Amino acid sequence: MTGYKSPEEYQAQISMLSHEIYELNKQLDLKNEEIQQGQLPDKFNPFDNPTDYPDYSGDYSDIVPQIVIPGCKIPVEPCKAEKKRIRHFYSIGGACIIFHWAAAAVLSTAAMSLIMLILGFMHPDVSTAVLTDYVYATSIVTAITAIAYLLCNTIFSFVGLKWAKISPSSLIQTRDFSFAKGIQYCLAAIFIQYGASIFSTIFTDVISKYGYSADVLDDSSLAQNGLGIAVTIIYGCIIAPITEELFFRGMLMKVFSRANQRFAIVATAIFFGLAHGNLAQFMLAFLLGIFLAHIDLKHNSLLPSVLVHIFLNTISTAFNYMMDENDMLTTAALNIIYMLMAGAGLIMFIEFSLKNKLPSTTPQQSRRGFAVAKTSIPVICAFGLQAVYLVLLILVNTI
C-alpha cells in the first residue's frame, strides 16, 4: 500500500530524530561550557576589564561585529575599520560640543540684539548705555541665558543620542541607588567643592604674581530685581543641573565611553570645566565632573549626578544669598555649617573611593581612548575653541 510504513521504519526515523536532538543538545552544552570558560568574548566587556561597568558602555559588536564569534579576541592595536568606528562616536561628541557652543552664543547674541532694538524703538530718547544697564539689572539677560542654554543642552543631547543610535532610556536604567547613597554623594560633593575652592584660591594667588587674573567676571550687576533673582535661582538650581547633566554625563559620556570608560570620565570632565568659561570654575567643574561621572557609571543612570548637581547648586545659591558682610554672626555660622558639611563629606568621599575605584585602562583600551580621539577633527576643534576662549577671558580680565 502506498505511503504505508512498517513499524521498523517508524522506529528508524524516531532513532534518527533522537540522535539529531542529542547532537543539538551536545552542541548547546559545548557552547555553554565555552561561555563559562571564557572562550566566547563578552560583547559588553570585550576588553576583560574587571573595573569597567559593562552595562554602561553598551554592545561592542556595534563596533566590532565579529566579537560574537567564538575565539575572537580584541587586539592591542585596533584595525583601520575599528578605529574608524570608534572615531565616529568621538566625532559625534565633538561636533555636538561645537554646535552647542556656537548655537548658544548665536541665540544669546541675537536675542540680546533684538531686545535692545525693541527697547531703543520704544524709548528713542534714552541712551544705549542706560538701556544696557537696564537690561542687565533686570531679569532679561538672565532669562535669555537660561533659555539659550536650556534649548542647546536639550536639543544637542538628543541630537547626539540619535546620531549615535543610543536610546535616551539607557540614560536612566538606574540600579542599586538609594536615598542613603544620595545623601552620601551630596556630602562628598560639598567636600570636593570646598577642596576645589582652596586649590583655586592658591592657584589664583600664584598666577596673580605673574600679572594674570583668573577671577570670574563680575556679575553683581545682573538680575537686581525680584524677578531677575527668581529666574537666576530657577535656572541655577533646577534647569542648569538637569540639562547640563543630560548633555555632559548623558549624551557626551555615552558616546565617549564605547571603548574606554576612563577616557570618557576625564574627557567629559575637561569639557564640563571648559564650558564654565573661567579658571576658577574650571577646577571645580573638572573635579566634580569626575565624581559625577563615576557615580553615574556605578548606578548606570543619570539620576545620581542630577540629584547631586541640584543639591550643590541649591546649597551654594542659598549660602550666597544668606551671607551678609555686615552680619558677621550669620556669616560665621554659615561658614561653620559649610565646613562641618565638608568634613562629613570627606568621610563620605573616602568611604566611597575605597569601595569604588575609577575604571582602569587595559592596553587595548589605551589604544582606543585618547590615541583615537586625537585623530577626530571635531574633538580637537571643540577642545581648541573652548581652550582659546578661556585664555582670551583670562587676558581680558587681566587687562
Side-chain angles (χ1 to χ4, degrees), residues 92-272:
I92 289 173
C96 286
I97 293 171
I98 295 172
F99 293 148
H100 174 284
W101 185 75
V106 170
L107 280 175
S108 299
T109 303
M112 184 69 174
S113 300
L114 179 60
I115 289 174
M116 288 296 294
L117 185 64
I118 294 173
L119 289 175
F121 178 77
M122 294 174 61
H123 306 281
D125 298 331
V126 179
S127 68
T128 302
V130 172
L131 291 177
T132 301
D133 289 341
Y134 170 77
V135 168
Y136 275 86
T138 59
S139 61
I140 295 176
V141 169
T142 305
I144 289 174
T145 303
I147 294 172
Y149 280 93
L150 168 63
L151 291 174
C152 291
N153 286 339
T154 305
I155 290 173
F156 290 107
S157 293
F158 286 103
V159 166
L161 291 171
K162 181 71 174 179
W163 194 353
K165 298 180 180 179
I166 296 174
S167 172
S169 64
S170 67
L171 303 180
I172 51 173
Q173 294 179 351
T174 313
R175 67 167 183 228
D176 192 31
F177 184 63
S178 64
F179 178 77
K181 288 182 178 177
I183 295 297
Q184 177 188 16
Y185 299 157
C186 288
L187 290 174
I190 290 288
F191 162 70
I192 294 172
Q193 183 187 53
Y194 183 72
S197 66
I198 295 176
F199 182 77
S200 176
T201 300
I202 295 173
F203 181 79
T204 300
D205 290 341
V206 170
I207 68 170
S208 66
K209 295 179 180 179
Y210 296 92
Y212 295 99
S213 174
D215 293 337
V216 182
L217 291 174
D218 184 17
D219 59 356
S220 59
S221 62
L222 288 175
Q224 295 298 300
N225 62 357
L227 181 58
I229 294 173
V231 171
T232 300
I233 292 174
I234 293 172
Y235 176 72
C237 300
I238 300 176
I239 296 176
I242 294 175
T243 60
E244 286 179 1
E245 292 307 311
L246 179 63
F247 185 82
F248 289 100
R249 254 69 60 183
M251 180 281 297
L252 195 60
M253 197 163 75
K254 272 289 183 181
V255 298
F256 276 4
S257 66
R258 296 308 307 273
N260 189 329
Q261 290 183 358
R262 192 181 188 90
F263 167 78
I265 291 173
V266 176
T268 54
I270 290 173
F271 281 116
F272 183 53

Side-chain angles (χ1 to χ4, degrees), residues 295-307:
I295 61 177
D296 279 358
L297 280 170
K298 173 178 171 57
H299 297 288
N300 197 34
S301 174
L302 198 63
L303 297 182
S305 65
V306 169
L307 172 65

Side-chain angles (χ1 to χ4, degrees), residues 289-367:
I290 291 177
F291 178 69
L292 295 178
H294 193 183
I295 61 177
D296 279 358
L297 280 170
K298 173 178 171 57
H299 297 288
N300 197 34
S301 174
L302 198 63
L303 297 182
S305 65
V306 169
L307 172 65
V308 172
H309 202 154
I310 289 175
F311 173 81
L312 200 61
N313 282 17
T314 301
I315 288 293
S316 298
T317 301
F319 275 38
N320 285 337
Y321 280 112
M322 291 169 65
M323 283 188 175
D324 185 355
E325 59 183 13
N326 297 320
D327 187 350
M328 299 301 295
L329 183 61
T330 300
T331 300
L334 290 174
N335 283 327
I336 292 173
I337 293 173
Y338 182 70
M339 286 189 289
L340 289 174
M341 293 175 68
L346 172 61
I347 298 173
M348 298 294 99
F349 181 76
I350 292 174
E351 195 271 341
F352 173 81
S353 299
L354 290 175
K355 294 182 179 179
N356 304 277
K357 302 297 183 182
L358 281 171
S360 60
T361 303
T362 66
Q364 291 95 330
Q365 288 175 306
S366 67
R367 300 302 303 156

Side-chain angles (χ1 to χ4, degrees), residues 31 34 39-41 66-72:
K31 183 156 289 190
E34 288 176 347
Q39 295 179 12
L40 278 181
Q66 60 268 31
I67 193 67
V68 297
I69 300 175
C72 177

Side-chain angles (χ1 to χ4, degrees), residues 73-84:
K73 291 187 178 296
I74 301 293
V76 174
E77 189 69 31
C79 67
K80 186 176 180 180
E82 183 185 2
K83 189 180 293 185
K84 180 180 179 181

